[in-house]
Amino acid sequence: MPRLEGILERITFHSETDGYTVARVLPKDKPYQITIVGKLLGVQVGESVELEGRWVDHPEHGRQFEVERYRTVLPATIEGIRRYLGSGLIKGIGPVMARRIAETFGTYTLHVLDHEPLRLREVSGLGPKRVDRIMRAWEEQQQIKAIMLFLQDLEIAPGLAVRIYKQYGEQSLSVVQATPYRLADDVYGIGFLTADKIAQALGIPHDSPQRVGAGLRYTLSQAADEGHCYLPWDELAARGALLLGVDPAVVDATLGAIAITREVYIEALDGQRMVYLQPFYRAEHGLADRLHELLRAPSRIAPFFRAANWDRVFEFLADRRGMPLAEQQQEAVKMALTNKVSVLTGGPGTGKTTSLKTIILALQQRGEKFLLASPTGRAAKRLSEATGAEASTIHRLLEFSPIGGPHFSRNAENPLDAAMVVIDEASMLDVLLANNLFKAIPPDAHVLLVGDADQLPSVGPGRVLRDILDSMAVPSIHLNTIFRQAEGSGIVANAHRINAGDFPHLRGLGDFFFFPRPEPEPCAELVAELVAERIPRRFGLDPRRDVQVLTPTHRGPAGVASLNALLQTVLNPPLEGRAEHRFGASVFRLGDRVLQLRNNYDLEVYNGDIGVVAAIDPVEQLLTVRYDDVRDVAYDFGLLDELTLAYAISVHKAQGAEYPCIVLPLLTQHFTLLQRNLLYTAITRARQLVVLLGDRRAIAIAVKNNRVAERYTGLARHLKGRS
């Protein structure tokens, strides 16, 4: 087998997912560099490499060496050491400091780092604090490399080694080797399948209780990702047996055993057994109990408002404040102020905001304290702009703290101080967040949930708003009259047509357009042209700030991933001096719009938050994202799998947001995702302009498909049982 030895001069591409690398090597017996490709885990510029593989001729890139096996040798020359340390390997050491360290200790440098790191203080410009940081970073790098090497033979993504180390520190290897299924519970990015691959390699039996229990918890966790709070026993057993490849009797026995240890909860009803993961069982029951307690408790403000002369109040508002309210709106105002818990729903242009402003005014006139909040920062900002009153995210309202384990400082023992709490965009509430919210409501306060029940349900498990409405346990009003100021809007008119099951008007409107492009590639190309050129030219909108592409799917030419790559190319191309950092297959560039993919309680950023890359520091290995134009969050390079480009996002991720313009490709290839509530949610995200493109048949499919995917939730049942 051909062999090659040399020094790694440059890494052109490296995938955090599978370790696939394209690099340039200077062979020890040749004066020119050659290209090598293959799975090279943890290699660094400056290292000597011994490679085995074969020569191949690539049709575009010419002759390459395809690596099948390799070994790395730490650099032995001063120049090699300088390049090795300056390659971005160690946080806190850039090219300048790498040169100083290498010149100070020469070929003895790596020995100093390993065995006498305090001698780094001899280097000019390195004080005690920075030396301490470099020492910790060097030790961390050695630990991560050891985990990478362990995972290498299992063909597991090397980028996960960083996350494993962040979770377990020096105990990482012992945890991975002794209790691999812990990884699925503890480490973001490692699911059961990855943990199972490690466990099987370690010889853990196929039908061991440890494996089957972990597989069942994983199955329930996957169901939660689909929106379910529980699974029926039989469905869980069937899914688990299929996943694990074991006899259903083994699954049944293990299910019974982990129910005894309270790893899962079993609830029986009418002969059916429902299996919950612990957090969702407690959240559903806790939320139902708390709602029932609030409904029974005396009100601080209801006695006054029940006795009010409402005719005079509404006359005053119409004459003095220019706020005439329709009969439905008046009923909504009275409902919220005289009932402990109530729900106000309605589509765009039906007067929810006017009703809410009236409620706020009534509370202000009485000197009563109120609080406004929404599930996301974008929705909270909209709420504040619409009402003229301060609004926050629910996490901020509840004073979330990551210190000492994620928790909310506001709870039953330390409730919020308000006569009324208003939650907007309540369709986004999942059962876990709703439970924590209602824990913090004072017993004598009112809660008003405001939202549009016809939108997509929450991304998280449960369907809180719909379940509360279905239970009929609390008063609710659905506003359905479109007001004059909204009647001229094609967006509002079409939203209501779609919601009623009617095909939208696609011609003759100044704010709603359709471009036929039924094939995926031409459709994607037109998306880029519209966003980058035609919409800015005609409507004066900033393509990076004002235009948001939404799509039903993540895959295919008109999916999130491909559209983001295309839009980044036209809206924020690589330029000399424009900082960028490659992470796996993604490139993050200064000025890119990015989306947070999970709740990160340490950084206080949440699934769906959108910001802009504000800084990239290759020496400190930090990428900074600015959220809401005011708050900077610094991400370690090892955490960048939590971010993705956000020039195009899924419709689900757009919930609670509003944009001047949305562009939405709809194709028949999206068939399984084409639903009425998805199309309705997408177009109601637009404030000024909607541009649809794709296939008219896809629009028709979405409009006619009013089937909402069933979610296994018990909240409505629990509320009915307590009323």
Side-chain angles (χ1 to χ4, degrees):
M1 182 178 288
R3 296 171 57 86
L4 182 68
E5 295 181 31
I7 296 174
L8 196 68
E9 294 286 322
R10 179 161 56 93
I11 296 175
T12 306
F13 171 80
H14 176 73
S15 169
E16 297 290 336
T17 305
D18 61 4
Y20 182 80
T21 303
V22 180
R24 299 283 284 174
V25 165
L26 180 64
K28 68 177 186 180
D29 57 350
K30 292 184 174 60
Y32 55 85
Q33 296 179 10
I34 58 107
T35 298
I36 64 169
V37 297
K39 291 186 177 181
L40 301 159
L41 304 178
V43 294
Q44 297 293 331
V45 169
E47 287 180 323
S48 294
V49 288
E50 298 174 1
L51 312 169
E52 292 184 24
R54 62 194 184 98
W55 291 99
V56 296
D57 290 309
H58 192 280
E60 289 184 39
H61 305 296
R63 194 158 175 77
Q64 301 175 340
F65 192 80
E66 197 172 81
V67 180
E68 294 184 12
R69 285 193 293 274
Y70 71 97
R71 188 171 76 91
T72 61
V73 180
L74 290 175
T77 67
I78 295 176
E79 179 61 16
I81 291 169
R82 180 194 68 76
R83 299 200 64 200
Y84 179 67
L85 295 181
S87 66
L89 172 72
I90 306 299
K91 187 181 295 187
I93 299 181
V96 174
M97 187 53 64
R99 180 177 292 280
R100 288 184 193 169
I101 294 171
E103 288 176 349
T104 300
F105 302 112
T107 56
Y108 202 57
T109 297
L110 300 182
H111 175 86
V112 168
L113 285 166
D114 278 333
H115 304 291
E116 304 174 87
L118 289 176
R119 287 192 60 194
L120 288 170
R121 295 179 183 179
E122 299 171 22
V123 179
S124 173
L126 280 184
K129 287 186 178 179
R130 197 167 176 192
V131 167
D132 185 57
R133 284 177 57 216
I134 292 172
M135 286 168 57
R136 289 200 308 270
W138 177 259
E139 175 61 25
E140 178 178 315
Q141 185 61 34
Q142 304 314 300
Q143 295 270 359
I144 290 170
K145 200 157 189 175
I147 301 167
M148 278 185 178
L149 291 172
F150 176 77
L151 299 178
Q152 175 179 339
D153 292 338
L154 305 177
E155 296 187 352
I156 290 172
L160 295 177
V162 176
R163 287 204 171 274
I164 293 171
Y165 182 81
K166 295 285 185 188
Q167 181 69 31
Y168 304 118
E170 294 180 0
Q171 304 300 312
S172 295
L173 265 180
S174 61
V175 169
V176 171
Q177 292 170 339
T179 54
Y181 289 110
R182 278 184 62 187
L183 303 177
D185 295 326
D186 297 344
V187 182
Y188 172 72
I190 296 183
F192 170 79
L193 299 179
T194 300
D196 195 41
K197 186 182 286 188
I198 298 171
Q200 295 296 293
L202 292 169
I204 292 177
H206 195 62
D207 59 353
S208 73
Q210 180 187 4
R211 177 174 185 265
V212 177
L216 291 171
R217 291 195 305 274
Y218 169 76
T219 302
L220 285 170
S221 177
Q222 289 292 100
D225 289 343
E226 297 165 17
H228 302 299
C229 292
Y230 68 86
L231 285 179
W233 179 295
D234 291 343
E235 183 171 338
L236 172 59
R239 287 197 194 190
L242 183 65
L243 169 75
L244 295 161
V246 298
D247 190 278
V250 174
V251 173
D252 275 341
T254 306
L255 250 180
I258 62 177
I260 293 171
T261 61
R262 294 299 193 186
E263 292 178 60
V264 298
Y265 278 77
I266 313 295
E267 187 172 282
L269 180 71
D270 298 332
Q272 186 183 53
R273 291 173 295 176
M274 293 156 286
V275 188
Y276 287 81
L277 285 174
Q278 186 184 92
F280 306 122
Y281 179 86
R282 291 181 172 176
E284 268 199 355
H285 282 267
L287 178 55
D289 288 342
R290 187 59 179 158
L291 275 165
H292 189 53
E293 291 168 6
L294 284 171
L295 290 166
R296 290 188 304 171
S299 165
R300 186 189 317 182
I301 61 174
F304 171 81
F305 285 110
R306 285 178 186 142
N309 186 331
W310 286 104
D311 290 339
R312 290 186 59 186
V313 170
F314 293 131
E315 285 176 15
F316 170 80
L317 289 171
D319 294 341
R320 300 288 184 86
R321 297 298 181 99
M323 294 172 63
L325 270 66
E327 184 177 346
Q328 263 193 331
Q329 292 174 301
Q330 293 179 12
E331 291 302 315
V333 172
K334 288 190 280 187
M335 173 189 72
L337 294 170
T338 59
N339 289 277
K340 293 293 301 301
V341 183
S342 56
V343 179
L344 174 60
T345 71
T350 56
K352 293 195 300 291
T353 300
T354 302
S355 303
L356 185 51
K357 288 167 74 173
T358 305
I359 293 164
I360 290 170
L361 181 60
L363 292 168
Q364 289 172 330
Q365 292 294 314
R366 282 279 299 165
E368 300 287 358
K369 188 171 182 182
F370 61 90
L371 295 168
L372 307 180
S374 290
T376 68
R378 292 171 291 163
K381 186 176 180 181
R382 283 179 57 205
L383 178 60
S384 183
E385 291 169 350
T387 61
E390 183 181 352
S392 71
T393 63
I394 295 174
H395 280 81
R396 193 157 294 144
L397 178 76
L398 300 180
E399 297 176 15
F400 175 81
S401 173
I403 299 170
H407 69 281
F408 292 105
S409 299
R410 292 290 185 174
N411 48 42
E413 290 71 40
N414 181 31
L416 298 164
D417 178 18
M420 177 176 281
V421 178
V422 177
I423 303 299
D424 195 24
E425 296 288 354
S427 63
M428 299 178 66
L429 273 177
D430 63 59
V431 70
L432 297 176
L433 184 57
N435 182 41
N436 282 298
L437 169 67
F438 276 87
K439 281 180 187 176
I441 303 296
D444 60 353
H446 287 212
V447 179
L448 174 64
L449 301 177
V450 183
D452 188 341
D454 295 318
Q455 290 186 19
L456 290 167
S458 59
V459 174
R463 47 169 204 165
V464 172
L465 182 62
R466 176 53 63 189
D467 276 354
I468 290 175
L469 288 169
D470 288 350
S471 75
M472 295 186 286
V474 305
S476 66
I477 286 179
H478 179 79
L479 302 178
N480 54 24
T481 302
I482 302 176
F483 286 92
R484 187 166 51 250
Q485 60 267 34
E487 285 178 348
S489 166
I491 297 172
V492 171
N494 274 338
H496 286 273
R497 286 184 64 83
I498 290 166
N499 209 27
D502 296 325
F503 196 85
H505 295 302
L506 300 181
R507 293 184 178 179
L509 300 173
D511 61 355
F512 201 105
F513 299 87
F514 173 71
F515 294 89
R517 286 295 189 281
E519 296 302 321
E521 287 80 5
C523 182
E525 291 168 5
L526 182 56
V527 167
E529 182 184 343
L530 286 165
V531 172
E533 301 172 19
R534 293 167 68 169
I535 291 173
R537 186 168 61 239
R538 178 164 175 181
F539 296 97
L541 297 174
D542 184 317
R544 288 205 287 182
R545 187 184 65 241
D546 300 330
V547 183
Q548 180 64 60
V549 176
L550 306 179
T551 177
T553 182
H554 286 268
R555 300 177 180 178
V560 169
S562 295
L563 286 175
N564 267 319
L566 182 60
L567 290 165
Q568 184 191 44
T569 300
V570 297
L571 295 177
N572 196 28
L575 290 175
E576 188 174 346
R578 180 178 289 169
E580 64 177 48
H581 177 72
R582 180 178 289 278
F583 183 85
S586 299
V587 174
F588 295 106
R589 208 164 277 140
L590 199 65
D592 274 337
R593 190 159 69 199
V594 291
L595 172 82
Q596 174 73 15
L597 293 171
R598 65 177 286 251
N599 290 341
N600 185 319
Y601 297 112
D602 293 326
L603 297 179
E604 294 187 53
V605 287
Y606 306 103
N607 185 0
D609 286 353
I610 289 181
V612 175
V613 177
I616 298 174
D617 186 336
V619 175
E620 297 301 323
Q621 298 180 18
L622 295 174
L623 182 145
T624 300
V625 178
R626 182 160 297 157
Y627 290 102
D628 302 321
D629 298 324
V630 291
R631 190 168 74 96
D632 287 351
V633 176
Y635 291 78
D636 186 280
F637 281 177
L639 299 180
L640 292 184
D641 56 348
E642 295 187 9
L643 290 176
T644 187
L645 294 175
Y647 297 107
I649 63 176
S650 70
V651 178
H652 278 86
K653 293 291 188 184
Q655 285 176 269
E658 190 176 74
Y659 308 94
C661 170
I662 70 107
V663 176
L664 176 68
L666 283 179
L667 299 164
T668 54
Q669 284 86 348
H670 304 154
F671 181 84
T672 57
L673 301 167
L674 297 175
Q675 294 176 201
R676 185 184 301 174
N677 61 356
L678 181 137
L679 178 56
Y680 175 75
T681 300
I683 69 170
T684 54
R685 301 308 90 208
R687 193 163 57 241
Q688 297 171 226
L689 181 66
V690 168
V691 180
L692 299 183
L693 64 163
D695 196 325
R696 289 176 63 97
R697 293 174 299 169
I699 299 173
I701 292 169
V703 170
K704 293 302 178 186
N705 181 13
N706 199 30
R707 180 188 58 80
V708 177
E710 180 186 3
R711 290 189 171 193
Y712 291 118
T713 69
L715 180 60
R717 182 176 68 250
H718 300 320
L719 288 172
K720 287 176 184 176
R722 288 164 172 78
S723 58

